[in-house]
Each structure stands twice: as structure tokens, then as C-alpha cells.
Amino acid sequence: KAGVTQTPRYLIKTRGQQVTLSCSPISGHRSVSWYQQTPGQGLQFLFEYFSETQRNKGNFPGRFSGRQFSNSRSEMNVSTLELGDSALYLCASSLGDRLGTDTQYFGPGTRLTVL
Amino acid sequence: AQKITQTQPGMFVQEKEAVTLDCTYDTSDQSYGLFWYKQPSSGEMIFLIYQGSYDEQNATEGRYSLNFQKARKSANLVISASQLGDSAMYFCAMRAPKAGNMLTFGGGTRLMVKP
């Protein structure tokens, strides 16, 4: 079974621009979660999508948004980029059945640099 | 609120020796899951092992075992027979179904295996 894929792997943008990151989950997984990883803040939860609906959201400004398509693929968008948005963005997929054993499997991440 | 604490920012271990990475957690939920992930320098988060709060036996997966002490709220990862490829960041994480599907991560421990 193929793992979680994320595109692009690297991205360089300038302040004020917007960016869209893509995530394809493991086949059969219906939940996709996004995390931001920075040296200062560590790993922080952005949001989770399940069956095309946002099911949970972390404490991030409205500039961060996402969506999920009927094939469970997900995109996240960051508008009006700030220098502090430079980070590794990780996508994780799981069955999403909310049982304790539901394990999230991560993609390789997208490294975003904002200049 | 959930919190994960990893008190060892960095550790060295000699190749072929065992090493224990510490993790303590705090939650008011009775049902929760504890996870360990490995993050090599490439950035991808690799799932290692899972322990459920109601599991009476410690989880094991190959060279990885989880020393779960519920009363002390600790979930230490034990890696036996360390290999050079074990050099990476290790993250302890918790998921409580009541809080949705989000993972709460600790700050991580950088493990360096010496030849």
C-alpha cells in the first residue's frame, strides 16, 4: 500500500503571497490531519478533515484553511504569508474512526520558506 | 487539556546498547492512546509503537517496547540493541478521542547512536 504523499516537497514564497499544499492519504483512510512544525513551537495541530468536513481545528488564524475532496485528498491554503509561517507542514492520514487505536501515518512533509 | 513532556532534549547511546527515552503525560481523560514517532533528518514522521490507556500489557514492536506506568503517567520508549540508523528525533504523542483526532506532541528527544 502506498504511503501518504505530499506535494510539493519544498516551496519558497515571499511575504504577502498565498500558498496551497496538497496531501494524498493512504488508500482507505478517510481522515486527514495537518500539523505545523517549527523549531520554536514544535509540532502543532492545524486541522482535521473527515469525509470532506472539517472535524477539528487548532488554534491558528483564519489565514490557514483547508479542504478535503471526495477521494479524501486534502489541500491546505495559507493566505497573506508571514515570515513566521516558515515551517515544515506535515499531513497525516488515518481511518478516522476515533477509536483509541486509530493511528496517524505521516507524509514526508512540505518545507515552506517565506522570504 | 493534554500535555506531553519529554525531559531529555538530547541523548547519546553506544551502538548495540539499549536506551530509554522518557515521556510523561497529563490528561483528565480516562481513555487515551499514546504513540511514539521517529523523525529522521529527512523530516518524515515514522510511527513506531502504540499503547492504549486500557492495555494491561506493555506494547512491543520488534526492537521497540513501551514501558507504560499508568499511575505515574509515564510512557517511556525502550529501544534495544541500538543501531546507527536509530539516530533521529523521537516524539511522544497522545490522542484522546474526546479531544477529537488530534495528536498532542512532546518537544522531542534527539537520539545519537555512537559507533
Side-chain angles (χ1 to χ4, degrees):
Chain A
K1 216 180 230 186
V4 179
T5 59
Q6 291 187 246
T7 56
R9 293 292 311 277
Y10 302 91
L11 210 46
I12 300 175
K13 292 285 188 179
T14 57
R15 278 181 298 175
Q17 287 187 310
Q18 76 164 17
V19 66
T20 299
L21 312 181
S22 180
C23 172
S24 292
I26 292 170
S27 178
H29 284 190
R30 297 167 64 191
S31 169
V32 173
S33 298
W34 289 88
Y35 295 84
Q36 181 197 64
Q37 185 177 24
T38 60
Q41 300 297 317
L43 281 147
Q44 293 185 285
F45 171 77
L46 281 157
F47 29 64
E48 181 213 359
Y49 285 86
F50 180 80
S51 292
E52 302 180 65
T53 302
Q54 188 181 84
R55 192 161 68 171
N56 202 358
K57 188 178 188 306
N59 189 24
F60 277 82
R63 299 185 298 107
F64 292 82
S65 63
R67 59 178 175 168
Q68 187 179 35
F69 302 95
S70 58
N71 61 357
S72 294
R73 190 177 70 86
S74 176
E75 289 181 347
M76 70 162 277
N77 184 75
V78 188
S79 62
T80 319
L81 283 166
E82 301 177 0
L83 295 178
D85 296 333
S86 294
L88 179 66
Y89 290 88
L90 291 161
C91 160
S93 80
S94 71
L95 293 171
D97 55 16
R98 288 200 162 178
L99 295 177
T101 53
D102 191 30
T103 298
Q104 293 185 22
Y105 296 91
F106 286 78
T110 294
R111 191 167 296 279
L112 171 66
T113 302
V114 182
L115 301 176
Chain B
Q2 302 166 59
K3 186 176 180 182
I4 298 282
T5 303
Q6 294 179 253
T7 57
Q8 307 151 312
M11 288 188 69
F12 283 97
V13 65
Q14 200 68 39
E15 192 179 9
K16 298 181 185 177
E17 291 186 350
V19 62
T20 298
L21 307 183
D22 294 341
C23 171
T24 57
Y25 60 92
D26 189 23
T27 181
S28 57
D29 293 309
Q30 296 300 309
S31 173
Y32 50 88
L34 295 157
F35 302 80
W36 277 92
Y37 287 88
K38 170 185 177 182
Q39 188 178 43
S41 56
S42 60
E44 182 172 359
M45 299 283 282
I46 301 168
F47 166 70
L48 296 177
I49 196 166
Y50 163 83
Q51 179 84 42
S53 58
Y54 293 117
D55 294 340
E56 293 186 354
Q57 294 204 334
N58 288 340
T60 58
E61 289 285 351
R63 294 188 298 112
Y64 304 107
S65 61
L66 202 152
N67 185 0
F68 181 47
Q69 297 187 45
K70 193 171 182 177
R72 299 178 66 180
K73 292 192 174 179
S74 74
N76 299 338
L77 177 70
V78 180
I79 305 175
S80 63
S82 297
Q83 301 172 356
L84 295 179
D86 294 334
S87 294
M89 284 290 290
Y90 288 82
F91 290 94
C92 180
M94 178 195 306
R95 176 180 167 272
K98 278 187 185 177
N101 207 31
M102 61 174 278
L103 287 170
T104 301
F105 287 88
T109 296
R110 180 172 297 282
L111 177 67
M112 292 152 282
V113 181
K114 296 187 291 185

